[in-house]
Amino acid sequence: MAHFETEYQRLEASYSDSPPGEENLLVHVPEGSKSPWHHIENLDLFFQRVYNLHQKNGFTCMLLGEIFELVQLVFVVAFTVFLANCVDYDILFANKSVIHTDSSKVTLPDAFLPPDVCSARIRHNVPVIFILIISGVFWLHRLVKFIYNICCYFEIRSFYINALKVSMADLPYFTWQEVQARIVEIQKEHQICIHKKELTELDIYHRILRFKNYMVAMVNKSLLPVRFRLPVLGDTVFYTRGLKYNFELIFFWGPGSLFENEWSLKPEYKRGGNRLELADRLSSRILWIGIANLLLCPVILIWQILYAFFSYTEVIKREPGSLGARCWSLYGRFYLRHFNELDHELMSRLSKGYKASSKYMNCFMSPLLTVVAKNVAFFAGSILAVLIALTIYDEDVLAVEHVLTSITLLGVCVTVCRSFIPDQHMVFCPEQLLKVILAHIHYMPDHWQGNAHRYETRDEFAQLFQYKAVFILEELLSPVVTPFILIFCLRRKSLEIIDFFRNFTVDVVGVGDTCSFAQMDVRQHGHPAWMSAGKTEASIYQQAEDGKTELSLMHFAITNPHWQPPRESTHFISLLKEKVHREATGAQQGVTGENQALTSTNSLHCDSEPRSLVANLLLGPPSLASLHLARETSIHPVSIGVSEPALGLRSLSPVSTSLHLRSSYPSARLPPHEHSSARVMTGSSTDARTISSGSSAWEGQLTSMILSEYASTEMSIHALYMHEMHKQQSRGELSRHTWHRQESDESSESVNEDFEAGRSFPRSSTFPSTATTHHERAPSQRHHHRASDPAAGSSQVQRSPRVPMGWSEDRQMGRHHEPVPEEGSEDELPPNIQKV
Amino acid sequence: MNCRSEVLEVSVESRQVDEAMLALLHTILLHRSTGKFHYKKEGTYSIGTVGTQDVDCDFIDFSFVRVSSEELDRVISKAVAEFKDALGNSGSDGMGQISLEFYQKKKSRWPFSDECIPWEVWSIKVNVVSLANEQERQICREKVGEKLGEKVINIVEVINRHEYLPKMPTQSEVDNVFDTSLKDVQPYLYKISFQITDVLGSSVSTTMRRLIKDTLAL
C-alpha cells in the first residue's frame, strides 16, 4: 500500500483514475468481436436470407437470375411497345409494295417505321404512355429492391463463407439440414441469438416460417375466405397470389397490421378486453385496403396480363398440351403444408406426388368427349396429313395463302384432341392411385377414401391440383375479384381473426410470438381422432383439423432427427413408431407366403412411382401397400387397413440392408427387422440420416441423399398409417354415434346444419368443427350415394362463418372440459357446441 | 427480437416520479458500467476504478447506490426531468413509460449507416397516483420505498443471470460497445427514451419505414 501511495504522488493531475504500475496489477485481454456474426439484430430476416441463398444455389446464381429478370422486364415492355407502334404491318403482309432502288426483296428493316414517326406515334398514344409509366415505376422499384437485396445477400454470402465455412461453389451440394446443423453449431461459438446458449432446429424453422405457419393454421381452421359457393360453378376455391399478398399485408406487415414487427404481435391484440373495438378497427382497415385495391385494379390488371402474356404465350405456341398440365394450386399448397415445413420440403413432396396425381386426374375421361375427340382428331389429322404430304412433294404449297396457318391450327387441334383420348393401355385404378398420392401429400379429407372413383372426389381434388390454364386465368381475374373478397368476405371475419391471433399466439423465449399450432404440441392442439386421444386436452376450437398437428409433428421429427421434442411429443412419436413397427413385423409373418407374388407384381407397378435411388431397392412401398389393399379388400376390408402401410415399412428393410452393405458406414444402420423394439429402430435410422453432416465430400453427399429419400419414405408410411388408423377409428365410432345425432338435430340451427351432412357419417358428428374445413358435400354423398344434397352443402358454407364467433367462449369451456380419456367421452362434445 | 427486455412497473405520487426513476435507472447503470479501459500496446487493457455513492431520497423512504460520476448523473437527471415534465403536461391520467436501452453499434457496409442493435431493454412503466391527504402520503412514502427495494433486488437478480453481454472490445472497437464520452466511468452504450400514455409503437414514421423496408425485402 505504501508503494501505491508514493507512486500516486509522482503522477500529474490526470483524470485517469487507474492505478499506476498497471503492469503488475490486473490486466485483461479483450476478446474483441472477431466475427461480426454475434448478436444479429433481426434473426428472422437473417435466417430467411440464409435459407433463400441456399435455395437459390449461391450468390452468383442469384445475382445472375435477378439481373436477367430485370433485363427481361425491360425487354418485354420495349418489345411490346415497338411491335404496337413501330412496325408497318402493311409491308409485312405485302399489302403495300416497297419502292426499292437496288433490289426487289423486301427486308425486315423496310417494315420498321422511321424513328421520328415512331416516337410521334408513341407520344400521341395515351394508353401506351400509361403502360410505360406503370412499368417504369415497377421497374425502378425492382431495381431498388435488387440493389438492396444484393447488399444484404452479400453479407449472407460472407456469413456462409466465414462463419459456416461453406464456399459458394459447394453450396448447391449442401442439403438444408446440413446448413442448419452448422448454424446450430456456430450458435455455441458466436451467439447469434442472445436469448439462449443453444439454438434448436425448431427455433430456426419458427423464425423462417413464422407467418407461413399462421397462414397454414388459418387455412386449416377455415378462417380465410377462400371457398365460395357460386351459382354455376358450385363449390370453388379462389386463392391467388394477389389475395395472399393482401392477406399478408393486412395481418403481418402492412401499415397498422396486427404485428408490431417481425416477431411480436401488438400488445393490445393479446388482451381479450377490447376485442370488439379491435375487430372494428381491423374491419375498417380491410375496407380501406380493399378500396385501394379497387382503385389500383387497372394497373395491376394490365401488369398481370402483360406478365402472363409474355411468360405463357411462348409455352402455348411450343407445346399446346402444356396448358393441360396441372399444377398444385396455391390453396392446395397451404392445405397440404405441414406446420414448420420449408418450401423445398413441401415442393419435393408435392413433386413426388405429381405423377400419380396427374394419372389420377386422367382416369376421369369423359367417354362422350373421347368419342368426339377421336373423330375430330381423325378429320383434322387427315387434312393435316394431306397438306404435309403436298408440302413435302413441293414446298411451293407453303407459299399459298393460309396453308401454313391451317397446318399450324390443325396441328394444335390434333394435339388438343389427343389429350382427351385416354391411353389405350391405361388401367383405371383410382383407389390405389389415391393411396399413392396420399403417401406423398399426407393430407386428404376423410371421405375421399373409398370414394376415389367418384367425380365429386375428383372435383375436390382438382381444387388442390388444378389446370395450369385455370391457374393463369385465376391470376388474371385476381385483381378484379380480390377487392370484393376483401370488402365483402374478409371484413365479416374480422372478429374471428382477432380472436384467432389472440388465442393462438404464444411467446416463445428466443423466438418471439409464434403461432401456437406451430409448436406442434399434441396436448394443446391434438385431435382425438388422430391417435392423440387421451393425450390431447384441446377443445374443438383448438384442435387442428385433418390431424395436422400429429402429422406435422411426425414430419418434423423425421426430417430433423436431432431435434429434441418436448416430453409428451417424444412419447407420442415413439408410441406411433412402435405401433407401425409392430404392425410391420406382424404383417411380415402373416404374408411371407404371399411375399414372392407381391414382389413380382410390384416390379410391374413400380414404374409408376419412380423414386430415384431408392426405387429399385424399395419397390415403392406406397404402391406396394396399395396393391396389397387391392388384393385383399374383398376378403377382409377392415383388418387389412392397418397392416397395409406397415407392409410398406417392412419393404423398407431391403433398403437398409443394402444401404448397410453399400455405404461406408456399416454401423450407420441395422435392418429394422432385427430389432424387436421400434424405439431402437428410430434411433438407428436417426443416426444414419445425420451421419452425413459429419462426413465430407461426395461420399457424405450421397449418403445424405439416400437418407433424406429414406426419411421421406418413412414419413409416407407414417402418414398412410395414421390415415388408416384414423379411418378405422371413425368407422368404429359410427354405430355409437348414431343415437346421438338424433338428439343434436333438435339443437340450435347452426349446429343442426352441421350434423345434416354428418348424419350418416361419423366424423362430422364426432368432431363437428371438421365440417368447417371443406368438402362438406361429400360426406353426405358418401352414404346417400348419387342422391347428393347440395342444399346441405350450401348451408354449411354459410354457416361456417358463424361457428367461430363462439370460438372464444368455446375455448373457455374447453378449459374446464376434462381431457378426453377415450373415444367414448367424445359424445359429450357436441352438446358443448350447442351451448354456443 | 434479438434482445432481452425487462419490464418494471411502479405506482408513485407525482413528486416522487423523478426520485423513483433515478433510483431505478441508476441501479441498472451501476451494474452496467465499468471503469475506464486503458489499452496497452500488446492488446491488453486494465480497468480503472469506479466509486459509488449513496443517495437518499427526499420524498421516498429509500436510498440507493449510484456510480459516483457527476456527468452520468447529470445526463440521467436531465432525461428524467424531461420525462417528468412531459408526464405533467400530458394531461392524461398519468401513465408513462421510460426505457433504458443498451445497444451496441455495428459497422456496416457503405450504403447503410451504422446499425445500433439493442441487446437489453429495461422498460419502467410509471403510474402516477394522486393522494388526498398527508396521512396517505406518509403511507405512500413507505410503500413506494418498499416497492423500490423489491425492484432493486429484482434488477440485481436479472443482472446476475449468466446471459449475453457484448464481448470486451479491442481498442478500435471500444466505441461500439461502451460509451466513452464520460471521463470517469464507462457504461455500456445506452439510450433513454420515454413515452407518455399507452399509444405505443405505431407512429407514422416507423410504420412507413417498415413498409418501405418490407417491400424491399420481399
Side-chain angles (χ1 to χ4, degrees), chain B residues 112-129:
Chain B
F112 308 106
S113 54
D114 283 1
E115 288 175 283
C116 294
I117 307 175
W119 49 270
E120 190 174 64
V121 178
W122 295 85
S123 322
I124 307 169
K125 288 188 176 159
V126 188
N127 189 14
V128 180
V129 292

Side-chain angles (χ1 to χ4, degrees), chain B residues 187-203:
Chain B
Y188 282 101
L189 281 174
Y190 67 92
K191 219 185 310 187
I192 298 179
S193 55
F194 56 81
Q195 280 166 328
I196 305 300
T197 72
D198 216 16
V199 270
L200 302 175
S202 55
S203 71

Side-chain angles (χ1 to χ4, degrees), chain A residues 15-18 22 26-33 36 38-41 43 144-145 148-149 151 154-155 189 191-195 207 253 255 260 262-263 511-512, chain B residues 1-4 38 40 43-49 104 106 109 111-112 115-119 162 164 167-170 173 183-184 207 210-211 213-216 218:
Chain A
Y15 277 107
S16 149
D17 50 359
S18 63
E22 291 145 315
L26 198 55
V27 169
H28 305 263
V29 181
E31 299 146 294
S33 38
H38 68 106
H39 185 203
I40 286 154
E41 189 187 16
L43 268 181
V144 173
K145 202 167 114 181
Y148 179 82
N149 269 342
C151 295
F154 198 75
E155 295 275 310
E189 186 189 330
Q191 219 169 16
I192 34 182
C193 173
I194 64 164
H195 287 269
R207 282 182 183 274
W253 56 267
E260 193 170 23
E262 269 98 341
W263 50 83
V511 181
Chain B
M1 174 60 211
N2 214 352
C3 117
R4 291 190 293 272
H38 297 278
K40 305 266 183 40
T44 57
Y45 64 94
S46 61
I47 303 176
T49 53
Q104 53 182 332
K106 210 174 242 191
R109 238 160 266 279
F112 308 106
E115 288 175 283
C116 294
I117 307 175
W119 49 270
H162 257 289
Y164 175 85
K167 295 207 171 111
M168 287 304 144
T170 53
E173 288 167 340
K183 287 194 200 97
D184 42 6
T207 320
R210 265 185 49 68
L211 186 64
K213 223 177 158 183
D214 285 330
T215 352
L216 290 177
L218 270 182

Side-chain angles (χ1 to χ4, degrees), chain A residues 492-713:
Chain A
R492 257 185 291 159
K493 297 209 166 195
S494 53
L495 187 59
E496 292 158 45
I497 291 167
I498 296 285
D499 286 341
F500 179 88
F501 276 95
R502 190 183 63 248
N503 292 330
F504 296 122
T505 297
V506 284
D507 189 5
V508 181
V509 178
V511 181
D513 290 335
T514 50
C515 184
S516 62
F517 284 107
Q519 296 292 105
M520 304 181 294
D521 187 349
V522 173
R523 197 164 56 94
Q524 271 190 350
H525 294 297
H527 199 305
W530 288 89
M531 315 190 55
S532 50
K535 294 186 202 72
T536 172
E537 292 169 10
S539 66
I540 292 167
Y541 177 43
Q542 290 168 318
Q543 290 162 359
E545 308 306 331
D546 304 308
K548 200 142 207 154
T549 316
E550 291 80 1
L551 280 162
S552 299
L553 179 63
M554 279 317 292
H555 179 261
F556 194 80
I558 286 174
T559 39
N560 296 285
H562 278 311
W563 178 58
Q564 292 286 327
R567 204 168 45 85
E568 275 141 37
S569 306
T570 322
H571 183 66
F572 176 82
I573 294 167
S574 59
L575 201 73
L576 180 63
K577 287 198 170 174
E578 198 174 338
K579 267 187 190 166
V580 171
H581 185 74
R582 209 185 309 128
E583 293 292 342
T585 41
Q588 191 178 15
Q589 281 142 23
V591 292
T592 21
E594 277 182 289
N595 201 7
Q596 206 57 41
L598 263 177
T599 335
S600 56
T601 33
N602 225 342
S603 48
L604 293 175
H605 200 264
C606 71
D607 66 315
S608 73
E609 254 305 88
R611 301 177 58 83
S612 70
L613 215 51
V614 188
N616 323 332
L617 315 168
L618 203 59
L619 302 171
S623 39
L624 170 71
S626 50
L627 236 136
H628 189 62
L629 176 76
R631 290 166 59 90
E632 301 252 339
T633 342
S634 49
I635 313 170
H636 37 91
V638 178
S639 70
I640 188 59
V642 178
S643 64
E644 153 209 346
L647 206 74
L649 183 70
R650 186 181 50 77
S651 72
L652 268 177
S653 49
V655 191
S656 45
T657 11
S658 53
L659 196 75
H660 172 76
L661 294 174
R662 283 185 178 196
S663 74
S664 51
Y665 308 99
S667 64
R669 195 173 185 288
L670 293 166
H673 52 73
E674 286 179 20
H675 297 279
S676 53
S677 133
R679 195 93 177 82
V680 187
M681 181 193 93
T682 343
S684 57
S685 66
T686 301
D687 294 342
R689 256 181 287 122
T690 50
I691 200 162
S692 58
S693 57
S695 62
S696 59
W698 267 105
E699 197 93 317
Q701 241 6 273
L702 191 66
T703 334
S704 99
M705 298 281 182
I706 297 177
L707 293 170
S708 79
E709 194 75 25
Y710 172 75
S712 88
T713 315

